[in-house]
Amino acid sequence: MGVLMSRRQTVERVQKVSLAVSAFKDGLREQPSTRRRAEAGTARQGTLEQEVQEGEEEVLAGPSQPEESSASKAAWERLRDGRGVEPEEFDRANRFTPPAFIRPKRELHDDEPPDISLEQREQILNDEMCEICEVWTAESLFPCRICHRVYHDGCLRRMGYLQKDSAVEVTETAHTETGWSCYYCDNLNLLLTEEEMYSLMETLRNCKIIPGVCLTLDDFLHYKHQVHKQQFERTMPEAQEEQAALQFNALDPDKKGHIEWQDFLSHESIHLLQKIRPQNALLRLLTPKERERARAAFLALDQDNDGFIGEAECRQARHSWFRKHQKEMLSCNVSISHVGPISEGSPASSRNGKSPEKILPATKQEETSIDWPRFLRENVAYILAARPNSAALHLQPLP
């Protein structure tokens, strides 16, 4: 008679196998050729331009090409599988093996309009046990602000998803209005199906983008020009180049002069979802927590309770609610009391000096009234783009 294993038992068995595999890999690392490759991989950190130049030198070198190509192959495999930190990239002592992510599959009914009622509120319930170890320890569990999962900080450390710099931040924000996204929800690339992921990988290969490498402004604009030319067979207009530059600035909130690979990948993933999937399919990706925040935003803006808001109010929500905010600004998870009219001194209202509602006449506002279903459709991409913990704006709201 067979015995069913609990998830905790499965994790323990996987850990034992992982330790054996790690010991085997440690033995391989003692070989000179493997050690040289590891040292070369550590030294190869920089911008995309530097990586491309080193890649060209490797091709010219000839004999060492098969040996060095293994690192690049591993990077593409991580990208394909949606993995982040690898066991080889941090100290293995007391570590858990990161999970093997399973990409979603499209269903036949995905393109049909989902039934998301404005009046019917949803009850939000978090799991009672840690997603990793399945142990309940009450207040020491960190809830995800997007999904129902909860975690121990110790389990996150052993998984490699909570480093020293981020531990304090997670502890301070997980139980606040700002909240914290778990490693599932933080990675927008995991929303792509296998077919969509292969499409993105092909685009990155054709544009000579190397996984894991930071991109400068020149790299980013060059990539956007190549993608536009491949798609439309013509040069990208100047207006779109300016928009791409604004997006780069949004992805580089700290003004470091480059954007991190994970932020670039999240931006490209949400951009691909916008281009390939209809809005109804994107709406099905929203979690109950995200739908409840959207309801709170709409009801706060619908002050006369007629079921409609103005187009300017919809843009206001996009800028002040669904966009990613930097640490000194309000979070996208602020309570309903924070979702009010934008003040005259706020960034969204300072562009034109006047509130859009004051510029539009009453008849114009009535013509552009937006109901709840349209409000969701027009903002769903911004809601999804606000999932990562990074301060970067992975989808820059249009003015």
Side-chain angles (χ1 to χ4, degrees):
M1 184 175 179
V3 178
L4 295 177
M5 297 177 60
S6 68
R7 180 163 54 179
R8 185 175 183 180
Q9 291 173 320
T10 304
V11 169
E12 291 175 352
R13 172 171 289 186
V14 170
Q15 290 174 9
K16 293 179 181 178
V17 176
S18 176
L19 290 175
V21 173
S22 299
F24 175 73
K25 290 182 177 180
D26 283 336
L28 292 179
R29 276 197 171 80
E30 297 303 322
Q31 299 179 6
S33 60
T34 310
R35 185 163 58 250
R36 285 197 303 268
R37 185 165 65 249
E39 293 172 354
T42 303
R44 294 177 61 190
Q45 297 179 354
T47 64
L48 176 62
E49 182 179 355
Q50 293 171 336
E51 290 285 345
V52 171
Q53 182 178 358
E54 292 176 2
E56 293 174 350
E57 293 175 356
E58 292 171 2
V59 172
L60 295 176
S64 62
Q65 183 181 356
E67 180 181 358
E68 295 296 335
S69 63
S70 61
S72 177
K73 181 179 179 181
W76 284 106
E77 288 178 351
R78 287 199 300 272
L79 177 60
R80 178 197 63 201
D81 298 337
R83 292 175 292 172
V85 179
E86 289 294 283
E88 295 84 1
E89 296 178 11
F90 53 80
D91 182 15
R92 286 192 202 81
N94 299 319
R95 295 287 186 177
F96 290 158
T97 301
F101 296 108
I102 300 177
R103 293 195 173 275
K105 295 182 179 179
R106 295 291 307 277
E107 302 293 341
L108 294 176
H109 65 280
D110 280 354
D111 296 346
E112 300 176 3
D115 184 16
I116 305 178
S117 172
L118 177 62
E119 294 78 16
Q120 185 176 358
R121 309 301 293 268
E122 299 180 62
Q123 186 177 8
I124 305 300
L125 294 175
N126 290 324
D127 290 344
E128 294 183 353
M129 296 186 296
C130 174
E131 176 71 14
I132 300 172
C133 69
E134 291 191 314
V135 173
W136 178 80
T137 51
E139 296 182 357
S140 63
L141 290 170
F142 294 126
C144 175
R145 65 185 175 92
I146 305 298
C147 67
H148 55 82
R149 302 180 183 94
V150 294
Y151 301 86
H152 292 121
D153 60 339
C155 292
L156 291 171
R157 287 190 181 93
R158 286 190 289 272
M159 290 284 287
Y161 291 109
L162 192 61
Q163 306 299 329
K164 295 180 180 179
D165 297 338
S166 59
V168 176
E169 183 178 351
V170 171
T171 303
E172 292 178 349
T173 61
H175 294 284
T176 64
E177 292 175 343
T178 299
W180 164 81
S181 296
C182 69
Y183 52 83
Y184 286 104
C185 302
D186 182 63
N187 189 353
L188 295 180
N189 185 251
L190 295 180
L191 297 176
L192 301 183
T193 64
E194 289 186 3
E195 295 80 8
E196 292 165 345
M197 189 63 235
Y198 278 116
S199 173
L200 177 58
M201 289 176 62
E202 183 179 3
T203 301
L204 297 177
R205 287 183 184 274
N206 292 337
C207 297
K208 295 181 174 57
I209 296 295
I210 301 175
V213 180
C214 301
L215 278 76
T216 64
L217 176 59
D218 291 339
D219 298 331
F220 187 75
L221 293 180
H222 180 69
Y223 167 77
K224 289 295 184 181
H225 273 283
Q226 285 185 303
V227 171
H228 188 277
K229 192 170 184 179
Q230 291 175 7
Q231 184 176 359
F232 301 103
E233 297 183 350
R234 63 175 184 270
T235 305
M236 186 170 66
E238 184 177 351
Q240 291 190 22
E241 181 177 350
E242 294 177 356
Q243 188 64 36
L246 291 176
Q247 180 62 66
F248 178 88
N249 292 332
L251 291 170
D252 181 25
D254 297 330
K255 308 303 178 186
K256 295 179 293 187
H258 67 267
I259 54 179
E260 302 295 334
W261 164 253
Q262 193 59 41
D263 288 326
F264 171 75
L265 183 60
S266 294
H267 165 69
E268 289 303 304
S269 298
I270 197 70
H271 184 69
L272 182 63
L273 286 174
Q274 275 189 299
K275 184 169 61 175
I276 292 181
R277 297 196 200 179
Q279 289 175 320
N280 288 333
L282 295 182
L283 285 172
R284 295 185 178 276
L285 298 177
L286 297 179
T287 66
K289 290 183 179 180
E290 289 173 317
R291 294 194 293 265
E292 274 300 292
R293 294 190 192 104
R295 287 189 182 94
F298 186 88
L299 292 173
L301 293 170
D302 182 20
Q303 298 181 2
D304 53 3
N305 297 322
D306 64 348
F308 293 90
I309 63 173
E311 190 175 24
E313 292 174 317
C314 184
R315 290 196 303 268
Q316 169 184 322
R318 193 173 302 157
H319 280 268
S320 63
W321 182 279
F322 297 124
R323 63 173 286 176
K324 286 286 297 180
H325 291 270
Q326 299 189 26
K327 296 179 182 179
E328 65 273 11
M329 299 175 65
L330 289 176
S331 167
C332 59
N333 296 316
V334 293
S335 63
I336 186 174
S337 61
H338 291 96
V339 188
I342 295 180
S343 63
E344 294 295 328
S346 65
S349 63
S350 60
R351 293 185 176 184
N352 297 325
K354 295 183 179 180
S355 175
E357 291 87 347
K358 295 181 179 180
I359 299 176
L360 297 176
T363 56
K364 185 69 175 179
Q365 288 183 349
E366 294 175 359
E367 292 176 0
T368 58
S369 293
I370 296 176
D371 59 4
W372 166 244
R374 181 182 170 187
F375 174 80
L376 273 183
R377 290 195 303 270
E378 294 191 1
N379 287 292
V380 60
Y382 297 96
I383 301 175
L384 295 174
R387 285 185 176 185
N389 294 309
S390 170
L393 298 183
H394 298 100
L395 191 61
Q396 173 72 11
L398 297 175

